[in-house]
């Protein structure tokens, strides 16, 4: 694992001006993966032992945390994060919290998967961030209640051991645990505030669920699809094109910078597993003066297979969902959308089903990751 920067210690008290001017962060190698704790994917902070100063749900807000130095409420300073009360010891002789004292929050991942990295963001928590944090993971099928998750029969695996963190900083941790997780427990030792939680990883879907679906979107992030590479990410990520639901504004889609050459832009995807594609949707919702002019779609079977064009270069309309039925099913493990010359699309849907090989591969991966 590559060494990534770690931050410790207080940040300076807020002194006015841009509250992010002294924010400590870094480029983490794992942010190429999807955020499995994204609300858009269906994640939630389902319980916490204490949220006296600020509510647990703020942890998963997609926007970066805000800070208003003048904003106070009945409980104290209004903070954009999850913040617990200060713990006290049991007596005047020992007024401090014990080494075991800690606060916890339970997080349901939006899609189960393998976790590659976690960011515990303490933005604006300058003198009230946790002394240390730890993160554990578990895999529980169905929709367990907080009480069930806290039961003695649930096995938790350490993803981030108890580690000191810094105030007003993006505290990143690489995770190397080859298991599929459905829920996390985030611990603050002994107490404090965390602004945001990001959990980067690879979706590993339930093969039984996909097998009964029949026809489904074999490139959708929630089903285990992934945007592997793209020609340009200037305005917004390529992974937006395989997010759930339709775009609600322009930057919910994928938009490239204006090209000034004779080339074109593209995205390469890894499908859920080997699939048979029968229909395609290309949506340009909210892309009007910058919608892709034309698009084509190709598939590749295996990392080294030849690319086969399955949708020839086709004119697209701005702010429109386009539907195409393929003349014959197309088999592949990867797909590529080429847009001409540049601009963007908001969503790509590839409807079909897993081949027998694809289904077997998915079942084997699900099993090897703990089932
Ligand atoms: N100035 C503070 O933020 N104080 C307290 N926190 C809030 N949110 O008021 C505390 O005890 O950490």
């Amino acid at each position: 694992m590559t060494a990534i920067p770690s931050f410790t210690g207080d940040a300076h008290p807020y002194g006015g001006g841009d509250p992010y001017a002294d924010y400590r962060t870094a480029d983490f190698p794992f942010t190429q993966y999807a955020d499995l704790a994204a609300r858009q994917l269906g994640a939630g902070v389902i319980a916490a032992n204490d949220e006296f100063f600020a509510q647990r749900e703020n942890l998963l807000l997609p926007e970066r945390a805000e800070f208003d130095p003048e904003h106070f409420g009945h409980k104290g300073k209004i903070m954009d994060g999850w913040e617990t009360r200060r713990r006290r010891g049991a007596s005047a002789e020992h007024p401090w919290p014990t080494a075991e004292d800690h606060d916890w929050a339970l997080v349901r991942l939006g899609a189960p998967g393998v976790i590659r990295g976690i960011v515990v963001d303490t933005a604006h928590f300058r003198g009230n961030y946790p002394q240390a944090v730890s993160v554990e993971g578990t895999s529980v099928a169905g929709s367990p209640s907080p009480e069930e998750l806290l039961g003695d029969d649930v096995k938790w695996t350490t993803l981030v051991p108890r580690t000191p963190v810094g105030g007003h900083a993006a505290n990143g941790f690489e995770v190397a645990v080859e298991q599929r997780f459905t829920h996390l427990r985030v611990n603050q030792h002994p107490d404090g505030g965390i602004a945001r939680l990001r959990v980067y990883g690879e979706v590993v879907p339930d093969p039984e669920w996909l097998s009964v679906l029949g026809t489904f979107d074999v490139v959708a992030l929630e089903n285990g699809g992934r945007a592997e590479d793209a020609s340009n990410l200037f305005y917004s990520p390529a992974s937006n094109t395989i997010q759930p639901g339709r775009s609600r504004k322009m930057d919910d889609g994928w938009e490239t910078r204006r090209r000034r050459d004779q080339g074109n832009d593209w995205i390469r995807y890894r499908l859920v597993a080997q699939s048979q594609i029968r229909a395609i949707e290309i949506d340009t919702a909210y892309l009007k003066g910058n919608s892709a002019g034309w698009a084509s779609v190709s598939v590749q079977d295996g990392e080294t297979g030849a690319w086969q064009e399955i949708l020839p270069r086709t004119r697209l309309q701005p702010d429109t969902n386009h539907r195409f039925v393929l003349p014959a099913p197309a088999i592949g493990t990867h797909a590529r959308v080429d847009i001409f010359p540049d601009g963007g699309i908001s969503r790509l849907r590839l409807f079909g089903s897993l081949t027998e090989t694809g289904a077997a591969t998915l079942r084997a991966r699900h099993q090897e990751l703990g089932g």
Side-chain angles (χ1 to χ4, degrees), residues 34-36 39-42 110-113 180 202-206 209-210 213 216-226 239 241-245 272 347 349 351 362:
D35 178 5
L36 303 183
R39 282 292 289 170
Q40 188 176 16
L41 212 48
R180 178 180 182 268
E202 297 178 67
V203 173
V204 180
D206 177 349
W209 172 253
L210 295 183
L213 284 186
F216 61 92
D217 182 356
V218 296
V219 76
L221 175 63
E222 62 187 339
N223 293 332
R226 186 179 162 203
S239 56
T241 58
I242 54 174
Q243 286 287 353
V272 176
R347 295 287 188 269
R349 309 294 190 203
F351 294 106
L362 194 61

Side-chain angles (χ1 to χ4, degrees), residues 61 92 110 175 178-179 199 252 297 305 311:
L61 289 174
V175 176
E178 281 305 304
Q179 288 180 33
V199 180
D252 277 355
V297 175
L311 178 71

Side-chain angles (χ1 to χ4, degrees), residues 7-350:
F7 305 112
T8 55
D10 282 0
H12 296 301
Y14 175 65
D18 174 6
Y20 274 99
D22 59 340
Y23 178 65
R24 294 176 289 172
T25 186
D27 288 330
F28 301 115
F30 45 72
T31 52
Q32 60 178 298
Y33 295 102
D35 178 5
L36 303 183
R39 282 292 289 170
Q40 188 176 16
L41 212 48
V45 188
I46 59 176
N49 71 300
D50 181 282
E51 38 192 327
F52 181 85
F53 284 116
Q55 295 173 316
R56 64 181 194 263
E57 290 87 349
N58 291 324
L59 285 174
L60 304 189
L61 289 174
E63 305 79 12
R64 75 175 188 173
E66 296 179 350
F67 180 74
D68 175 354
E70 304 305 322
H71 196 184
F72 287 82
H74 298 295
K75 297 283 196 302
K77 179 75 184 69
I78 302 296
M79 295 297 289
D80 186 2
W82 167 47
E83 186 187 1
T84 65
R85 77 194 70 205
R86 299 191 188 203
R87 284 180 172 270
R88 299 308 183 214
S91 67
E93 290 67 33
H94 196 290
W96 309 281
T98 68
E100 294 71 37
D101 284 343
H102 68 279
D103 293 318
W104 54 262
L106 294 178
V107 178
R108 178 193 66 246
L109 295 178
V114 177
I115 296 168
R116 300 296 182 205
I118 294 174
V119 175
V120 177
D121 183 353
T122 58
H124 314 308
F125 290 96
R126 295 167 175 269
N128 46 357
Y129 58 96
Q131 186 176 26
V133 299
S134 59
V135 183
E136 305 159 280
T138 190
S139 179
V140 177
S143 304
S145 68
E147 294 72 22
E148 289 168 328
L149 286 166
L150 294 173
D152 295 337
D153 58 327
V154 172
K155 176 181 177 301
W156 292 91
T157 302
T158 299
L159 303 177
V160 176
R162 183 169 174 162
T163 310
V165 292
H168 196 42
N171 301 281
F173 305 93
E174 282 200 292
V175 176
V177 180
E178 281 305 304
Q179 288 180 33
R180 178 180 182 268
F181 293 103
T182 60
H183 295 77
L184 302 186
R185 182 160 61 186
V186 181
N187 302 307
Q188 295 197 74
H189 305 271
D191 57 37
I194 297 171
R196 297 287 187 266
L197 176 75
R198 305 295 187 229
V199 180
Y200 297 94
E202 297 178 67
V203 173
V204 180
D206 177 349
E208 183 186 7
W209 172 253
L210 295 183
S211 69
V212 300
L213 284 186
T215 296
F216 61 92
D217 182 356
V218 296
V219 76
L221 175 63
E222 62 187 339
N223 293 332
R226 186 179 162 203
E228 287 194 320
D229 195 5
S231 57
N232 184 271
L233 304 170
F234 188 87
Y235 287 108
S236 44
S239 56
N240 280 355
T241 58
I242 54 174
Q243 286 287 353
R246 296 195 70 199
S247 268
R248 292 175 299 168
K249 50 192 175 57
M250 189 166 79
D251 64 350
D252 277 355
W254 168 59
E255 183 196 2
T256 70
R257 62 171 303 138
R258 294 188 188 210
R259 296 190 77 101
R260 299 310 186 196
D261 60 13
Q262 303 296 300
N264 76 281
D265 287 309
W266 51 267
I267 302 173
R268 189 183 77 240
Y269 302 89
R270 186 194 68 193
L271 306 182
V272 176
Q274 191 191 58
S275 305
Q276 182 186 79
I277 300 167
R278 294 185 287 276
I280 296 174
E281 271 190 359
I282 301 177
D283 198 348
T284 59
Y286 296 96
L287 291 153
K288 298 176 181 177
N290 49 4
S291 161
W294 292 262
S296 65
V297 175
S298 306
V299 294
Q300 177 188 44
D301 193 16
E303 298 273 357
T304 57
W307 285 100
Q308 172 203 354
E309 187 175 77
I310 60 173
L311 178 71
R313 196 177 304 190
T314 305
R315 187 82 172 92
L316 299 183
Q317 295 304 316
D319 193 35
T320 301
N321 190 29
H322 307 75
R323 288 179 169 175
F324 308 96
V325 175
L326 301 187
I331 290 178
T333 55
H334 295 72
R336 173 186 168 120
V337 63
D338 283 274
I339 64 170
F340 302 84
D342 63 14
I345 61 173
S346 59
R347 295 287 188 269
L348 173 73
R349 309 294 190 203
L350 302 177

